[in-house]
Amino acid sequence: MALTREQMAQRVARELKDGYYVNLGIGIPTLVANYVPEGMQVMLQSENGLLGMGPFPSEEELDADMINAGKQTVTALPGAAIFSSAESFAMIRGGHVDLTVLGAFEVDVQGNIASWMIPGKLVKGMGGAMDLVAGAENIIVTMTHASKDGESKLLERCTLPLTGAGCIRKVLTDLAYLEIEDGAFILRERAPGVSVAEIAEKTAGRLIVPEHVPEMAF
Amino acid sequence: MAGLDKRVGSYEEALAGLTDGMTVLAGGFGLCGIPENLIAEIRRRGVRDLTVVSNNCGVDGFGLGVLLEDRQIRKMIASYVGENALFEQQLLSGELEVELTPQGTLAEKLRAGGAGIPAFYTATGYGTPVADGKEVREFKGRKYILEEAITGDFAIVKGWKADHFGNVVYRHTAQNFNPLVAAAGRITVVEVEEIVEPGELEPSQIHTPGIYVDRIIQGSFEKRIEKRTLRS
């Protein structure tokens, strides 16, 4: 079975380490905050200028002046810091964020990522995604393995305009966890009940399958 | 206005001198921390052919979105503009030009503009359409693109509290781009929720020192919420 959105978030959460500063993108990445392991302390960075983001507010806590980068109302935890957008991106560009999780349309074997623009469709903008992928050492891309029409999103070369070049090393899809090394996807784990053959069939870019590919457990 | 007392008596006076074709820098992220009343005054004045620099362009009927209704904006420099139908319509018809800029690059362009730095190198956007036509240079084995600073004829800013010297503090994440545009405007106009006596703001906690600010006005704010999200 392909992973659910929650299972994808759960799997990404296993990459968290105690003391990490983490930036979570919109969608599945946001759900990762629900699966921070017990006893582990991580601090969430939101690129509109908040470090120490807390959960959504109660009715009483609701405050128009406290939002996240997805423009949702949020709270700030004790120990949070708030700053300007320039300071926020100094943290990001300067490589101070330990882990960035974001979605994408396509990634390729060179570590290129396309996530913001589909030619012919209205372009809304890249927001902070280009800064995030350029600045972070440690990025996990979360996306479905193939489009609804069955087209692979793991390619030999991205077809859409790029968000960043050569910056992606880790990809979690609904079918597999893969790493990108030396011009190939390396299949590290597969979703429960998903065969290597199915993953290979849905991966258009060069795929290396190690002898043993463990199945994820939840 | 006298000496270092930056207070003005009306919104009309706050934007005196704003004319057609000028560049306006606006603080705010989505609808959070936007100078609502100064935007309304731009609309009232009916100035046209503006270049507006702001992370976003409001929504239909609120924020910078209201300036689209009378086609006052000719060019928009922003990182994300997806929230209004009118924007899309004017973009597709060619009435409106848009220059999409990565959010961190936009912030740094404004910071550089205010700090007298004409341009800077950043890895953001290298290898993407953003790099088209820009100088590329390698430092320590990595490629960077040259991005130029932004300054404006006017900066419109939303603060929380200010004194009459123009020292400003922002509230929570309503800070965002506000201190950056404040420093990058030739004429910087700040509207706040409360004007306080000099000395009431802790000097070491000032976000925007008064030297950047030309005009201060106290207003009342709707503070519309774009995505009201509650804990279940």
Side-chain angles (χ1 to χ4, degrees), chain A residues 47-50 55-59 61-73 82-86 89 93 116 122-128 130-131 134 161-165, chain B residues 29-30 32 56 79-83 88 91 100-105 107-108 111 122-124 127-130 142 171-177 179-180 223 225-231:
Chain A
E47 64 266 25
N48 58 316
L50 170 61
F56 295 136
S58 64
E59 192 83 49
E61 292 167 326
L62 186 76
D63 187 329
D65 290 335
M66 187 67 87
I67 65 165
N68 65 15
K71 291 156 193 160
Q72 297 168 310
T73 46
I82 293 175
F83 32 82
S84 75
S85 298
F89 281 94
R93 215 187 292 103
W116 71 287
L122 185 79
V123 182
K124 293 187 168 191
M126 67 293 280
M130 286 191 182
D131 306 278
L162 298 186
T163 307
Chain B
F29 188 97
C32 181
N56 315 94
S79 85
Y80 191 83
V81 290
E83 315 296 350
E88 183 173 339
L91 188 62
L100 292 171
T101 305
Q103 199 173 121
T105 295
E108 193 63 12
R111 199 199 66 79
T122 177
T124 301
T128 79
V130 165
R142 190 163 187 211
R171 189 168 175 275
H172 301 334
T173 60
Q175 180 171 167
N176 55 60
F177 282 78
L180 310 173
K223 292 198 188 181
I225 292 176
E226 198 165 336
K227 291 179 187 166
R228 182 191 165 91
T229 326
L230 294 172
R231 190 158 61 225

Side-chain angles (χ1 to χ4, degrees), chain B residues 179-200:
Chain B
L180 310 173
V181 305
R186 191 169 54 79
I187 298 175
T188 290
V189 188
V190 182
E191 59 170 331
V192 294
E193 294 172 42
E194 191 185 352
I195 296 180
V196 300
E197 288 301 316
E200 274 189 45

Side-chain angles (χ1 to χ4, degrees), chain B residues 32-179:
Chain B
C32 181
I34 57 170
E36 307 177 9
N37 303 296
L38 290 167
I39 293 167
E41 173 61 17
I42 293 176
R43 181 166 194 204
R44 197 197 62 78
R45 296 177 85 87
V47 288
R48 301 178 69 86
D49 294 324
L50 298 174
T51 294
V52 175
V53 182
S54 169
N55 190 53
N56 315 94
C57 193
V59 295
D60 287 320
F62 197 69
L64 289 168
V66 303
L67 302 183
L68 298 169
E69 290 166 22
D70 295 328
R71 297 178 162 68
Q72 290 175 271
I73 305 177
R74 183 186 53 80
K75 181 177 179 181
M76 188 76 211
I77 300 177
S79 85
Y80 191 83
V81 290
E83 315 296 350
N84 24 8
L86 202 50
F87 191 97
E88 183 173 339
Q89 193 186 315
Q90 291 181 20
L91 188 62
L92 293 171
S93 69
E95 292 168 281
L96 178 65
E97 189 188 335
V98 63
E99 189 176 311
L100 292 171
T101 305
Q103 199 173 121
T105 295
L106 184 62
E108 193 63 12
K109 277 170 169 266
L110 290 162
R111 199 199 66 79
I117 293 175
F120 56 92
Y121 288 99
T122 177
T124 301
Y126 173 73
T128 79
V130 165
D132 289 350
K134 289 174 186 159
E135 183 189 321
V136 175
R137 195 164 152 186
E138 195 173 307
F139 296 92
K140 294 179 180 167
R142 190 163 187 211
K143 299 271 187 29
Y144 296 79
I145 59 174
L146 187 67
E147 292 280 8
E148 291 185 18
I150 294 176
T151 55
D153 298 300
F154 271 80
I156 56 172
V157 174
K158 160 66 174 58
W160 179 28
K161 293 178 184 178
D163 60 28
H164 72 242
F165 290 106
N167 294 307
V168 184
V169 294
Y170 305 96
R171 189 168 175 275
H172 301 334
T173 60
Q175 180 171 167
N176 55 60
F177 282 78
N178 278 298

Side-chain angles (χ1 to χ4, degrees), chain A residues 2 12 15 20 24 28 32 36 49-50 53-54 56-58 69-70 80 84 96 106 111 130 168 175 182-183 185 208:
Chain A
V12 170
E15 301 296 312
Y20 260 17
L24 301 175
I28 292 166
V32 175
V36 177
L50 170 61
M53 181 168 63
F56 295 136
S58 64
S84 75
H96 303 278
E106 297 174 346
M130 286 191 182
I168 305 302
L175 303 182
D182 302 325
F185 294 108
I208 293 173

